[in-house]
Amino acid sequence: MNYMDFLESKAVAAPVSGFDIGFEEINPALTEHQKIAVKWAVHGGRRALFESFGLGKTAQQLEFCRIVLEREGGSALIVCPLGVKQEFTHDAARLLGWDRIPVYVRNMDEVRAAGGGILLTNYERVRDGDIDPRFFTACSLDEASVLRSFGSKTYQTFLAKFRGVKYKLVATATPDPNKYKELIHYAGFLEVMDTGQALTRFFQRDSQKANQLTIYPHKEEEFWLWLSTWAFCLSSPSDLGLDDTGYSLPPLDIRFHKIAGEVEVVGRDGQVSMFNNLAQGLTAAAKEKRDSIGARVAKMVEIIRSDPEAHFLLWHDLEDERRAIGAAMKRIAGPGEYAEIYGTQEIEVKEREVIDFAEGRTKYLATKKEISGQGCNFQRHCHRAIFVGIDYKFNDFIQAIHRIYRFLQPEACVIDIIYTENEESIREELLEKWDRHKKQAERMREIIRKYGIETAHLVERMRRSIGVKSVEVRGEHYIAINNDCVEETRRMETDSVGLIHTSIPFSNHYEYTPSYNDFGHNEDNEKFFEQMDYLTPELHRVLKPGRIAAVHVKDRILYGNATGDGMPTVDPFSDLTVMHYIKHGFRYMGRIIVLTDVVRENNQTYRLGWSEVCKDGSKMGVGCPEYVLLFRKLPTDTSTAYADDPVVKTKEE
């Protein structure tokens, strides 16, 4: 491989591990955009469907699994939130016309008893070990963003549990584009790119806070292009150049209702605040929630009475809220009109209540966002929702709205949000997150509209960042050149340089430019030193015999959540650098230790914390100095080992 071939190989795209199918092999009940998505996903093998609410991801997952099983055999597993399995059984029977409906399974005994086919389970069954995903030929995560509510530990657990499954699908309408890490986790789950590798490729570290990452401005376009090689980001059929008939969202009317707050907040100094600054802590916010339940439920009743013919979805967060809502609804709802869903109910009861409300048999449904906020389709009979409270959880909020505000909704949707005047800051932050969400989601979908879904176009666009504009500046005692150092060093004369002094990029730790020529633009140590293999022989050639190459390096901290070790470890980058230069003919002369501020390092890496030492001293590391590694090119005469052009000093000097 020549140097240009190597640079072109840096344009990373998701690996293809599936197979090609014709549109005629896909169930004719699917619409055109759904068929395109299924064909694309089957070809990729391990892919994500990031499609807007109502575009038919349920049917696409079912068809993906069916096609894979026809080719590969075995069983397929669809993992979905509690209370959503009825959406799959409904689409399998009524839309796709299948005779064999997917079966819900709770453990591996039931999996084996099912004798193959497409099976359903929930996230808790997989998380708790009742279901082993590696038994299956294909797996799909429905409403995969629900993993966020389980925390980062479950994310890591799922990566390991599904590793090696040949065909994998992730389906969700709202991967929050503000949360880059969530997108990275999906890439790791799909085995598109290791999560640690993706983090270091696209994100820079915050020097003040460990593991706080911000996307490089010059890497942003490449990030979205790369995402589009493994994620199908679709907002409407017209993104693919198709007709949008039947896929126009209705008007959305958001109504905020502010009620007077009656909670006094006492500060540490004993002073009473007239208004609650929620930065004072969760305790004050929780008290505000509890003490305002009566007023908020009264406003809910007022809203319901203003539209007596409408069906209402009543979102709440607390059990005390549910009980207050239930007491109020008994006074205004007719027999059989009101139902509620809560955590301790049997799953069969929850599903029955969901189906009854979705099909219009129940007029009012009270439920929590964490229970019914994902996957349920209520748009056929309901166009009004009331949030009886407000909180900071934007993703749960937007998911809950889209239970009714989705394609195929025939009515204008009205969303009533009740909050207290002391919660004004929460309302403002919610709206700010919503605005950022819209802008970033549009960026995700802009790529597919601009470049289509063919990976080759996306890779070609990424390759355009190869190349460096050469700039040369000369002065009385210097020549300064900005260029690819491989290309520039190749033009230098042999045995012409008196000293090489450099601080090489620390593998993929930093990227300095958007160009693939950048040595920091590599996936890992192996790829970094592969690029160094083009440079280091040239450095050896141009250095005068007997002279020094001094190379500044530092060992790197590997974070436990990226490696899966659960603790920070050290990448011995300095040692790898020594072996690399020795391989190319340099002789190692030792290292100069550059002492660093261990306290500052501790603040960045959390490796040396006093509290952690007290909990378990065995996991603690040590401070990392920096090094200047010293290498020498052998002189022509090794009998004395003096340089061909020695560096001479008098003893007085």
Side-chain angles (χ1 to χ4, degrees), residues 194-412:
D194 176 77
T195 54
Q197 175 188 327
L199 287 170
T200 52
R201 184 183 185 100
F202 298 108
F203 299 88
Q204 59 186 336
R205 289 173 54 208
D206 185 331
S207 62
Q208 301 301 315
K209 189 173 182 181
N211 212 29
Q212 184 69 37
L213 300 159
T214 306
I215 195 166
Y216 288 107
H218 63 266
K219 300 295 293 180
E220 194 160 3
E221 182 183 31
E222 185 193 354
F223 175 79
W224 296 117
L225 289 168
W226 167 73
L227 180 90
S228 295
T229 67
W230 56 268
F232 192 81
C233 304
L234 196 68
S235 60
S236 65
S238 59
D239 292 348
L240 298 169
L242 304 175
D243 185 8
D244 271 344
T245 301
Y247 288 96
S248 297
L249 286 170
L252 178 64
D253 184 3
I254 303 291
R255 301 173 182 176
F256 285 97
H257 305 271
K258 181 164 62 175
I259 61 177
E262 300 176 356
V263 180
E264 288 186 340
V265 179
V266 181
R268 291 182 179 181
D269 57 1
Q271 295 296 310
V272 176
S273 172
M274 182 177 295
F275 297 104
N276 180 5
N277 176 1
L278 288 175
Q280 294 180 60
L282 295 176
T283 302
K287 189 174 191 305
E288 177 81 357
K289 282 285 186 198
R290 291 192 304 271
D291 292 359
S292 63
I293 288 175
R296 289 186 283 114
V297 170
K299 174 59 72 172
M300 177 202 77
V301 171
E302 179 186 323
I303 295 168
I304 291 173
R305 282 178 168 161
S306 70
D307 192 355
E309 300 302 317
H311 290 217
F312 277 87
L313 189 53
L314 309 174
W315 296 108
H316 60 87
D317 298 304
L318 306 175
E319 281 298 287
D320 286 344
E321 290 173 337
R322 176 179 66 83
R323 285 186 279 269
I325 291 169
M329 294 305 296
K330 286 179 181 177
R331 296 192 294 270
I332 65 173
E337 287 187 332
Y338 172 73
E340 57 186 31
I341 296 175
Y342 50 92
T344 57
Q345 283 176 320
E346 295 292 331
I347 187 171
E348 291 78 13
V349 176
K350 293 177 183 175
E351 289 176 353
R352 185 175 65 246
E353 301 294 11
V354 166
I355 293 171
D356 285 348
F357 184 73
E359 297 185 353
R361 290 188 290 273
T362 303
K363 191 173 182 181
Y364 308 106
L365 178 66
T367 184
K368 295 181 180 180
K369 299 187 289 291
E370 64 190 47
I371 295 177
S372 306
Q374 306 260 5
C376 298
N377 299 336
F378 296 135
Q379 78 272 25
R380 290 188 288 273
H381 296 277
C382 178
H383 67 279
R384 297 208 61 169
I386 301 175
F387 289 81
V388 184
I390 192 172
D391 59 29
Y392 287 105
K393 298 177 180 177
F394 169 75
N395 186 72
D396 292 348
F397 168 73
I398 196 69
Q399 280 276 2
I401 283 179
H402 284 289
R403 296 311 98 216
I404 62 172
Y405 181 60
R406 50 198 297 121
F407 294 126
L408 309 181
Q409 165 64 265
E411 304 287 342

Side-chain angles (χ1 to χ4, degrees), residues 147-158 181 185 561:
L147 278 174
R148 185 173 28 228
S149 64
F150 290 134
S152 60
K153 185 176 181 180
T154 300
Y155 262 122
Q156 297 292 341
T157 301
F158 266 60
K181 262 193 172 181
H185 278 305
N561 64 347

Side-chain angles (χ1 to χ4, degrees), residues 579-638:
M579 300 311 297
H580 168 80
Y581 276 83
I582 289 175
K583 180 179 77 171
H584 289 290
F586 285 96
R587 296 301 190 265
Y588 178 50
M589 304 294 287
R591 62 183 67 197
I592 300 169
I593 297 176
V594 182
L595 296 178
T596 56
D597 185 341
V598 179
V599 174
R600 181 168 178 265
E601 181 187 342
N602 177 45
N603 291 336
Q604 294 179 16
T605 64
Y606 302 145
R607 298 174 61 239
L608 310 172
W610 174 247
S611 60
E612 288 297 291
V613 169
C614 294
K615 292 175 185 176
D616 183 1
S618 69
K619 68 175 287 190
M620 302 314 298
V622 297
C624 287
E626 298 177 18
Y627 305 105
V628 178
L629 305 177
L630 302 176
F631 302 96
R632 195 175 189 226
K633 179 178 177 178
L634 281 177
T636 303
D637 180 3
T638 57

